């Protein structure tokens, strides 16, 4: 384990110490810090939401299940009504909850990036299906491409505080849907060895997608031992309907050994009820139906309880991903995940702002910090997302790394120990010393282990800022993005890459 090097001296020595290499377990923030300090719901509130969700599953049920899903769920005890809706008795839901996987690991191709979804451990990453790139060189939106997706994966690989890469945008230059799914998989895997999330446009694409994934893994057995890609599956179409093709694709993915993100993405006031509590009820009910589906088919298969209710601006009906209501919805869902002791994920960090401006900063900061403090295992869409999921910005991905660093420091909280509350350091400074703590041994030892420093955020004095040429935040973000991309290495061997490009029509360089 590396220890901070002790130095005495002026500002230059302190800066040198702050930038010294540090072992991961000593860093002030890291993946998997336990949250759970913030609980917007009381225990009676949680119980009431749980019972309301069970009532909804028994009395309303879900429509439009594929025949294969009907067979799986009714075989386990669900009831198919004359109206075609599948209803779920309470006892069945409880039985399947008992079988559901807990304390799962979402693997990276590199084990150092494994995500342990236990308790209130918190992780942040990308997600979404943006159809535009926010181009800060021109302050315009353009169609996103396979190259943009690959670049986002490469940038994510270099960011300490972005822990996983779920496909963040649609490669709109790839017009064939099968080629789109295959290019998405390879653009992500060639860019990062962190855990990846992807989806499939059609059920028939799962088999060729798995063939490519197994090849990247070094064989099917190797992938099944350490599945480094999960299937993002919108298995429901709120309110309370199954998405038939997605359900069939989910069944194929389960058979292929892929972890599943059971994603319910209703929009409060539109496809979900307007009351925040009832929007959570619907999302929980839909995801509990998913728990039954998955565990009736494959007991204990790794699945993330993906309650993702979004918010509408009720004046217009437009989505509002950066609102306070969105932050509350996500935090409330995190509490429900803990109630069921299931690995859970939800959305945070989405901005309604069109560019990385002050609005984007407050929206991303507020929603992410509440997600982290609530103990959300997987905070999806936490970085880079603008225009309520329509635009993705590579520079915002870089800026988001700083935001998530500050969020994680809040999640870690205050370490109250015998050493951290001892007044010996105060005595040394106040009675015998210089009257300040800048050069004290305690301060120097804590510079990296207790404090986190932004990569881009500017803490200069106005005088220093002027002397440095008045650096602007966006220009700094562009510069860091370009440095990362210039230095990024492809995450497969050149020989493997050449073979893949021979066998597949790959759209990115």
């Amino acid at each position: 384990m590396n220890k901070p090097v002790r130095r005495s001296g002026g500002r230059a020595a302190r800066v040198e110490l702050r930038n010294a290499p540090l072992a991961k377990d000593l860093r002030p923030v890291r993946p998997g810090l336990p949250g759970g300090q913030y609980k917007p719901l009381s225990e009676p509130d949680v119980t009431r939401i749980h019972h309301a969700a069970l009532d909804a599953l028994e009395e309303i049920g879900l429509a439009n299940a594929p025949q294969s899903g009907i067979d799986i769920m009714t075989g386990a005890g669900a009831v198919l009504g004359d109206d075609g809706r599948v209803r779920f008795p309470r006892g069945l839901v409880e039985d399947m909850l008992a079988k559901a996987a807990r304390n799962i690991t979402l693997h990276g191709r590199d084990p150092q990036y494994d995500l342990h979804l236990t308790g209130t451990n918190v992780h942040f990453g990308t997600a979404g299906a943006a159809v535009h790139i926010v181009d800060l060189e021109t302050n315009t939106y353009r169609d996103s491409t396979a190259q943009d997706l690959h670049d986002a994966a490469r940038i994510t690989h270099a960011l300490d505080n972005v822990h996983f890469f779920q496909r963040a945008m649609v490669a709109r230059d790839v017009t064939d849907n099968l080629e789109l799914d295959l290019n998405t998989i390879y653009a992500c895997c060639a860019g990062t060895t962190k855990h990846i999330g992807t989806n499939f446009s059609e059920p028939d694409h799962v088999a060729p997608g798995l063939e490519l994934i197994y090849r990247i893994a070094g064989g099917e057995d190797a992938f099944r031992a350490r599945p480094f890609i999960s299937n993002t599956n919108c298995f429901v179409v709120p309110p309370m309907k199954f998405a038939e093709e997605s359900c069939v694709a989910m069944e194929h993915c389960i058979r292929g050994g892929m972890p599943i993100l059971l994603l319910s993405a209703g929009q409060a006031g539109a496809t979900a009820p307007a009351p925040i509590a009832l929007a959570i009820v619907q999302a929980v009910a839909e995801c509990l139906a998913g728990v039954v589906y998955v565990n009736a088919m494959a007991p204990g298969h790794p699945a993330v309880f993906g309650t993702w209710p979004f918010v509408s601006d009720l004046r217009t009906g437009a989505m509002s991903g950066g609102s306070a209501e969105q932050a509350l919805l996500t935090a409330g869902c995190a509490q429900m995940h803990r109630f069921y002791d299931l690995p859970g994920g939800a959305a945070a960090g989405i901005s309604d702002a069109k560019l990385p401006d002050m609005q984007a900063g407050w929206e991303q900061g507020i929603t992410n910090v509440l997600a982290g403090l609530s103990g959300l295992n997987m905070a999806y869409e936490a970085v880079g997302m603008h225009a309520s999921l329509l635009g993705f910005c590579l520079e915002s991905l870089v800026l988001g790394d700083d935001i998530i660093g500050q969020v994680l420091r809040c999640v870690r909280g205050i370490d109250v120990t015998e050493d951290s509350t001892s007044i010996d350091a105060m005595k040394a400074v106040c009675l015998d010393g210089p009257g300040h703590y800048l050069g004290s041994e305690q301060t120097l030892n804590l510079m990296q282990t207790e404090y986190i420093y932004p990569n881009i955020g500017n803490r200069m004095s106005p005088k220093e800022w002027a002397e440095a040429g008045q650096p602007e935040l966006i220009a700094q973000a562009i510069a860091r993005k370009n440095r990362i991309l210039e230095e990024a290495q492809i995450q497969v061997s050149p020989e493997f890459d050449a073979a893949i490009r021979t066998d597949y029509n790959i759209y990115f360089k």
Side-chain angles (χ1 to χ4, degrees), residues 192-438:
T192 183
T193 57
K194 296 180 179 181
H195 186 79
I196 288 166
T198 193
N199 72 338
F200 294 98
S201 304
E202 300 173 23
D204 290 346
H205 296 177
V206 175
L210 284 169
E211 181 181 348
L212 174 58
I213 291 167
Y214 294 159
R215 190 167 169 181
I216 294 168
E220 180 177 347
D221 290 344
F223 178 77
R224 288 182 179 273
R226 289 184 54 84
F228 54 84
I229 297 183
S230 55
N231 173 229
T232 305
N233 197 284
C234 296
F235 72 105
V236 289
V237 179
M240 303 294 280
K241 297 188 294 290
F242 285 109
E244 296 181 60
E245 287 198 347
S246 293
C247 287
V248 174
M250 179 176 72
E251 294 172 19
H252 294 335
C253 289
I254 290 172
R255 295 187 187 97
M258 291 183 73
I260 302 296
L261 167 60
L262 292 165
L263 202 162
S264 162
Q267 187 172 322
T271 56
I276 292 174
L278 195 56
I280 296 174
V281 168
Q282 180 177 297
V284 167
E286 289 168 344
C287 285
L288 285 175
V291 169
V292 173
Y293 199 148
V294 169
N295 288 281
M297 179 180 173
H301 187 83
V304 176
F305 197 76
T307 48
W308 284 30
F310 292 117
V311 169
S312 299
D313 185 318
L314 297 181
R315 299 169 301 179
T316 63
M319 180 184 163
S320 176
S323 62
E325 294 84 6
Q326 180 65 63
L328 288 169
L329 268 173
T330 295
C333 287
Q335 267 191 269
M336 299 309 299
H337 305 162
R338 300 282 61 74
F339 175 75
Y340 296 116
D341 188 28
L342 292 175
I350 303 163
S351 176
D352 301 321
K354 310 309 174 284
L355 299 171
D357 54 16
M358 185 174 177
Q359 178 185 340
W362 83 58
E363 290 174 337
Q364 293 168 9
I366 290 171
T367 56
N368 277 320
V369 80
L370 260 63
L373 290 177
S374 66
L376 182 66
N377 288 150
M378 298 286 283
Y380 295 93
E381 299 173 331
V383 285
M385 273 296 182
H386 287 274
S388 306
L389 299 183
L390 292 176
F392 191 84
C393 179
L394 298 179
E395 289 81 5
S396 284
L397 177 57
V398 171
L399 291 166
D401 187 54
D402 271 2
I403 293 174
I404 299 303
Q406 301 298 319
V407 169
L408 286 168
R409 187 61 190 88
C410 294
V411 171
R412 176 181 157 186
I414 300 171
D415 299 324
V416 180
T417 65
E418 185 175 346
D419 287 342
S420 69
T421 56
S422 171
I423 67 169
D424 288 345
M426 295 172 63
K427 287 180 181 179
V429 167
C430 299
L431 301 180
D432 305 315
H436 63 77
Y437 297 90
L438 287 174

Side-chain angles (χ1 to χ4, degrees), residues 31-240:
L33 287 173
Q37 302 93 327
Y38 174 59
K39 298 177 181 178
L41 301 172
S42 67
E43 288 187 16
D45 293 339
V46 169
T47 301
R48 178 172 290 186
I49 288 171
H50 166 62
H51 286 300
L54 293 181
D55 289 342
L57 288 172
E58 273 195 325
E59 299 174 23
I60 302 171
L62 276 75
N64 297 355
Q67 186 58 52
S68 56
I70 291 172
D71 295 341
I72 290 166
M73 290 181 282
T74 58
V79 179
L80 178 64
D82 293 338
D83 56 1
R85 303 184 75 90
V86 178
R87 293 177 173 85
F88 302 83
R90 274 171 158 73
L92 171 63
V93 177
E94 291 166 356
D95 288 347
M96 293 303 164
L97 280 170
K99 295 179 180 180
R102 290 169 170 83
N103 305 321
I104 69 174
T105 296
L106 295 181
H107 298 279
R109 278 188 15 248
D110 185 333
Q112 70 171 311
Y113 299 124
D114 286 357
L115 309 176
H116 304 293
L117 275 55
T118 300
T120 59
N121 289 357
V122 177
H123 309 88
F124 290 91
T126 63
V131 294
H132 299 293
I133 276 285
V134 184
D135 187 340
L136 293 188
E137 304 283 352
T138 59
N139 280 354
T140 59
Y141 278 50
R142 61 169 174 78
D143 287 354
S144 48
T145 67
Q147 185 66 51
D148 295 320
L149 180 62
H150 180 55
D151 287 348
R154 293 195 293 159
I155 293 169
T156 294
H157 190 74
L159 302 179
D160 286 342
N161 302 319
V162 183
H163 307 137
F164 61 92
F165 185 72
Q166 184 162 307
R167 181 216 53 185
M169 68 196 85
V170 178
R172 297 183 70 185
D173 56 333
V174 187
T175 56
D176 178 84
N177 282 343
L178 176 57
E179 287 193 344
L180 171 64
D181 291 346
L182 297 174
N183 270 270
T184 297
I185 291 167
Y186 192 57
C188 296
C189 289
T192 183
T193 57
K194 296 180 179 181
H195 186 79
I196 288 166
T198 193
N199 72 338
F200 294 98
S201 304
E202 300 173 23
D204 290 346
H205 296 177
V206 175
L210 284 169
E211 181 181 348
L212 174 58
I213 291 167
Y214 294 159
R215 190 167 169 181
I216 294 168
E220 180 177 347
D221 290 344
F223 178 77
R224 288 182 179 273
R226 289 184 54 84
F228 54 84
I229 297 183
S230 55
N231 173 229
T232 305
N233 197 284
C234 296
F235 72 105
V236 289
V237 179
M240 303 294 280

